[in-house]
Amino acid sequence: MITRFSPKQISILTALARYKFLTYSQMMQLGIDQHRSNLSLLLKDLRESKFQMVKKIPHGMGEEVKHYLNEKAIPVLKELSGLEEQEIHCPRGTILTHTQDQAHRTSIIDFHITLDLACQKAGVALLFCDRYFDTVGNNRVEKNLKSKTAFEVTGSSSIKPDVTFMLQSTLQKELFLVELENGRDSKKSIEKCIRHGEAMLTGAVNKRYDFQSGYRILWIFEHEGAMEAVIKDLHSRPLFEPLAEYFLFKPLSKIGEDIFLSWRNVAGKERKMFY
């Protein structure tokens, strides 16, 4: 039974407030502790003490345990970390089942962590980072709950990227959308690229974020073969001739090497994320 929080437990709570769901591996990547056994004890106390700050998602054999904040943690975090309530990512209620998109969601959080660490190392400000599972509105009263990344293209059509984030470089603000493509269905990915290309030409994202410059869409592929097929197809389409520098591609396996480097454009040429 804990009666107060250790510095590492506060780090765990603060990290969960930022990323919403975390595995032991992700906490180790964040540097909270390098030993899974230590994290297990810290989280056991947070789950089972009278404070019940943390919950875990039921998981299958061979899957990593995923943790999230209990709503009881919100006032504690506001006091201990000075966070505003809107900055604390806390699911409402208890998650009782393993969701189908959990592997995809975990990869998105991996990307967010990698981006955070790279920005800290490079001294680049990450102004915001929204994921598709972050929401605004509510379903209790107004019935207007929606993803924070979704934007309207036309009155009856919208797109929901996996991630939207903005950096402050030494020169200017840089806006990015991210799509993580699992599986080998290159045709589905091409169709999604076309929708994004058409949306880019309408200025829908620029309007959504009141952003007057060009933005880039980062396409991350679980399978490099699918990525190569997509690049080859898009390079042959007239729609993407003026958009070649705004679509950047990279295999998921190489994101951790240097997230800012070694992207490829529609012509297959190597590019940095920003200059």
Side-chain angles (χ1 to χ4, degrees):
M1 298 286 284
I2 59 174
T3 57
R4 61 181 181 177
F5 302 108
S6 71
K8 287 186 177 181
Q9 286 172 327
I10 294 173
S11 294
I12 288 171
L13 295 174
T14 304
L16 286 171
R18 180 162 182 78
Y19 300 107
K20 197 169 187 175
F21 304 101
L22 287 173
T23 63
Y24 290 127
S25 297
Q26 289 168 333
M27 292 181 195
M28 291 165 70
Q29 185 182 357
L30 289 165
I32 296 172
D33 196 287
Q34 293 309 306
H35 300 283
R36 190 178 298 258
S37 57
N38 292 344
L39 287 169
S40 179
L41 290 173
L42 291 166
L43 282 154
K44 186 175 187 294
D45 281 343
L46 288 169
R47 285 196 312 268
E48 298 180 4
S49 76
K50 62 181 180 181
F51 298 102
Q52 297 178 325
M53 295 287 101
V54 173
K55 298 179 182 180
K56 64 179 180 179
I57 300 174
H59 62 289
M61 186 71 68
E63 296 171 346
E64 274 209 89
V65 180
K66 298 173 181 67
H67 298 87
Y68 62 100
L69 292 177
N70 189 346
E71 290 178 74
K72 293 179 180 179
I74 294 176
V76 174
L77 275 164
K78 288 169 68 176
E79 180 178 348
L80 291 178
S81 302
L83 295 172
E84 298 295 332
E85 187 160 345
Q86 64 269 21
E87 298 177 281
I88 300 172
H89 293 97
C90 179
R92 303 300 178 183
T94 299
I95 299 174
L96 299 175
T97 59
H98 179 100
T99 60
Q100 288 184 338
D101 81 326
Q102 230 172 105
H104 184 80
R105 187 174 63 194
T106 299
S107 294
I108 292 299
I109 295 170
D110 283 338
F111 173 86
H112 188 182
I113 291 170
T114 301
L115 179 64
D116 268 345
L117 296 176
C119 286
Q120 292 167 18
K121 183 177 179 180
V124 175
L126 179 58
L127 302 181
F128 71 82
C129 183
D130 295 328
R131 296 78 52 88
Y132 71 94
F133 50 84
D134 299 326
T135 56
V136 291
N138 66 78
N139 274 344
R140 296 178 180 179
V141 182
E142 287 86 1
K143 307 293 183 182
N144 61 351
L145 188 72
K146 66 177 183 179
S147 169
K148 290 185 76 172
T149 69
F151 64 92
E152 186 177 285
V153 180
T154 66
S156 59
S157 175
S158 65
I159 295 177
K160 183 174 68 176
D162 287 323
V163 183
T164 305
F165 69 93
M166 184 178 287
L167 302 178
Q168 175 67 65
S169 72
T170 54
L171 299 176
Q172 61 191 359
K173 291 180 180 179
E174 307 275 358
L175 178 64
F176 298 90
L177 277 55
V178 180
E179 294 284 10
L180 173 59
E181 299 294 277
N182 295 113
R184 303 179 185 273
D185 190 350
S186 60
K187 182 179 178 181
K188 182 179 178 182
S189 298
I190 290 164
E191 290 172 353
K192 193 186 293 186
C193 286
I194 291 170
R195 289 186 67 212
H196 270 284
E198 292 170 345
M200 186 173 281
L201 293 174
T202 69
V205 171
N206 299 88
K207 182 179 179 180
R208 162 74 171 78
Y209 290 97
D210 191 23
F211 188 74
Q212 306 308 316
S213 302
Y215 63 93
R216 298 177 186 89
I217 309 175
L218 308 178
W219 295 83
I220 303 170
F221 285 80
E222 180 184 14
H223 298 286
E224 193 165 355
M227 182 188 80
E228 297 292 350
V230 170
I231 292 175
K232 182 178 179 180
D233 183 279
L234 298 186
H235 188 45
S236 69
R237 294 177 182 265
L239 170 65
F240 289 92
E241 288 182 14
L243 305 178
E245 298 299 334
Y246 301 105
F247 284 67
L248 299 180
F249 304 85
K250 195 171 186 178
L252 179 61
S253 61
K254 296 182 180 178
I255 290 296
E257 295 175 5
D258 191 326
I259 198 170
F260 297 137
L261 301 179
S262 301
W263 294 86
R264 291 169 60 194
N265 68 6
V266 169
K269 296 180 180 178
E270 190 167 302
R271 292 290 185 263
K272 296 179 182 178
M273 183 189 289
F274 65 93
Y275 292 87

